[in-house]
């Protein structure tokens, strides 16, 4: 008879996500995962199938949490540009927080593994596509309200905003001057 699991699988995935997020896939060892999750190697592999499968679960969790948080900000109240700015400022502040300075997990995965692993690429693409769709909706709402002047396809404008946003997330890994990052946000939004 198999022994019942004595751990919270969601808690384990959350702990693994934090470990991968902080160190990256390649630099995270099985020992690191065992230390952060509290599981032994056999429980880790029996439950999740291995490091890669746990990484994919961590990316799904990121989608369910951090990507959902971005969407919530974009769907918030207020003018379109204020919502776009709120999403970007939220990222700037998170990236400058000394206790959590780890960038965006989806971007980290895109840079480290998406070019090598189709399932990682698909997981990252899912997050990027969701944000793009929400940005497109905000751009369309902003145009309808006369707040966003940029012409052309709304999706192209949304992708330009998204590129600025993801660029900020990367820049935030090396730029610790909040005013420089805020000027980038404000400049990008002024061009809309």
């Amino acid at each position: 008879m198999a022994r019942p699991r004595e751990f919270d699988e969601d808690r384990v995935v959350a702990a693994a996500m934090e470990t991968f997020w902080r160190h990256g896939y390649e630099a995270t060892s099985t020992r690191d995962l065992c230390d952060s999750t509290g599981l032994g190697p056999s429980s880790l592999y029996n439950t999740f199938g291995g490091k890669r499968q746990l990484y994919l679960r961590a990316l799904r969790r990121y989608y369910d949490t951090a990507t959902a948080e971005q969407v919530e900000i974009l769907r918030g109240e207020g003018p379109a540009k204020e919502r776009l700015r709120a999403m970007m400022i939220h990222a700037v502040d998170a990236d400058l927080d000394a206790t959590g300075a780890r960038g965006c997990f989806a971007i980290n995965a895109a840079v480290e593994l998406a070019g090598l692993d189709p399932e990682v690429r698909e997981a990252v693409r899912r997050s990027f596509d969701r944000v793009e769709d929400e940005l497109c909706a905000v751009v369309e709402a902003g145009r309808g309200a006369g707040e966003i002047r940029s012409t052309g396809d709304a999706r192209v404008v949304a992708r330009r905003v998204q590129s600025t946003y993801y660029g900020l997330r990367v820049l935030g890994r090396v730029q610790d001057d909040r005013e420089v990052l805020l000027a980038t946000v404000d400049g990008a939004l002024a061009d809309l």
Side-chain angles (χ1 to χ4, degrees), residues 5 9 12 17-18 23 25 50 67 73 79 81 91 111 116 123 125 157 173-174 183 189:
R5 287 190 186 141
E9 202 168 300
V12 170
M17 180 183 75
E18 290 295 326
H23 303 290
Y25 179 80
T67 301
I73 292 168
K81 282 188 179 181
V111 171
L116 305 171
R125 181 72 187 259
V157 174
R173 299 290 302 256
V174 296
L189 294 176

Side-chain angles (χ1 to χ4, degrees), residues 88 159-169 184-185 188:
M88 291 186 191
R159 287 177 180 149
R160 190 174 72 203
V161 172
Q162 185 176 33
S163 294
T164 300
Y165 174 69
Y166 291 146
L168 276 170
R169 300 303 311 257
T184 302
V185 169

Side-chain angles (χ1 to χ4, degrees), residues 11-23 33 36-37 54-55 57-63 65-66 102 105:
R11 185 201 59 78
V12 170
V13 173
M17 180 183 75
E18 290 295 326
T19 303
F20 285 127
W21 196 346
R22 201 165 289 290
H23 303 290
L33 291 170
S36 68
T37 64
L54 185 53
Y55 186 75
R57 287 277 301 270
L59 283 170
R60 282 193 295 277
R61 179 171 176 75
Y62 184 82
Y63 176 85
T65 57
R102 57 193 179 208
F105 186 39

Side-chain angles (χ1 to χ4, degrees), residues 17-71:
M17 180 183 75
E18 290 295 326
T19 303
F20 285 127
W21 196 346
R22 201 165 289 290
H23 303 290
Y25 179 80
E26 289 298 331
T28 299
S29 68
T30 301
R31 172 61 21 221
D32 294 331
L33 291 170
C34 291
D35 290 346
S36 68
T37 64
L39 295 181
S42 62
S43 292
L44 197 73
Y45 281 89
N46 289 337
T47 303
F48 300 101
K51 177 180 164 179
R52 181 176 170 279
Q53 289 81 2
L54 185 53
Y55 186 75
L56 292 169
R57 287 277 301 270
L59 283 170
R60 282 193 295 277
R61 179 171 176 75
Y62 184 82
Y63 176 85
D64 292 339
T65 57
T67 301
E69 188 176 350
Q70 294 165 7
V71 168

Side-chain angles (χ1 to χ4, degrees), residues 119-137:
E119 286 184 273
V120 171
R121 180 175 38 253
E122 184 56 36
V124 171
R125 181 72 187 259
R126 180 177 178 224
S127 288
F128 286 12
D129 286 350
R130 178 81 189 277
V131 172
E132 179 185 310
D133 289 344
E134 295 300 329
L135 287 169
C136 192

